[in-house]
């Protein structure tokens, strides 16, 4: 590494790793719920856990790619992408269970 090269920040990467660990915890919770709860209870729990799973899986990519692009972008991009992914996944889960699940 040369002296003039920007070192970047690892804060966004740290936040995305924390979101990924929360995502893995949500996977474990979903698996345990699927094995031990009734179907209706597991479905209700999945409204909370599935969006967390997706948001943690997506947040690390912009964190790694943008860590040298400035402090605001390096922190804001993983948090923003993770949160938006969680919102879209929540809407997707709701649509799946309301529209598609009854027809299965």
């Amino acid at each position: 590494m040369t002296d003039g090269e920007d070192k970047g920040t690892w804060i966004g990467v740290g936040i995305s790793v924390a979101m990924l660990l929360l995502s893995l915890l949500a996977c474990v919770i979903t698996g345990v719920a699927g094995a031990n709860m009734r179907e209706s209870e597991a479905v209700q729990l999945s409204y909370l856990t599935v969006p967390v799973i997706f948001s943690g899986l997506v947040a690390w990519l912009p964190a790694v790619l943008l860590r040298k692009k400035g402090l605001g972008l390096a922190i804001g991009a993983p948090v923003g992408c993770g949160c938006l992914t969680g919102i879209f996944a929540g809407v997707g889960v709701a649509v799946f269970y309301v529209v598609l699940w009854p027809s299965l």
Side-chain angles (χ1 to χ4, degrees):
M1 181 164 81
T2 63
D3 292 332
E5 185 178 343
D6 184 22
K7 294 181 182 179
T9 183
W10 289 96
I11 297 171
V13 176
I15 292 170
S16 67
V17 167
M19 291 175 78
L20 183 61
L21 292 174
L22 188 63
S23 171
L24 294 174
L25 179 64
C27 284
V28 170
I29 291 170
T30 304
V32 169
N36 296 323
M37 294 176 135
R38 291 181 296 164
E39 181 182 6
S40 62
E41 294 169 342
V43 166
Q44 291 173 356
L45 182 65
S46 72
Y47 278 110
L48 298 174
T49 58
V50 171
V52 173
I53 292 169
F54 283 109
S55 65
L57 292 176
V58 170
W60 66 270
L61 186 62
V64 172
L65 294 176
L66 300 174
R67 75 175 191 86
K68 292 185 178 184
K69 300 294 183 186
L71 186 63
L73 190 60
I75 295 172
V79 172
C81 287
C83 291
L84 282 176
T85 302
I87 291 168
F88 285 127
V91 169
V93 167
V95 167
F96 174 75
Y97 281 133
V98 170
V99 176
L100 297 175
W101 189 262
S103 66
L104 293 178

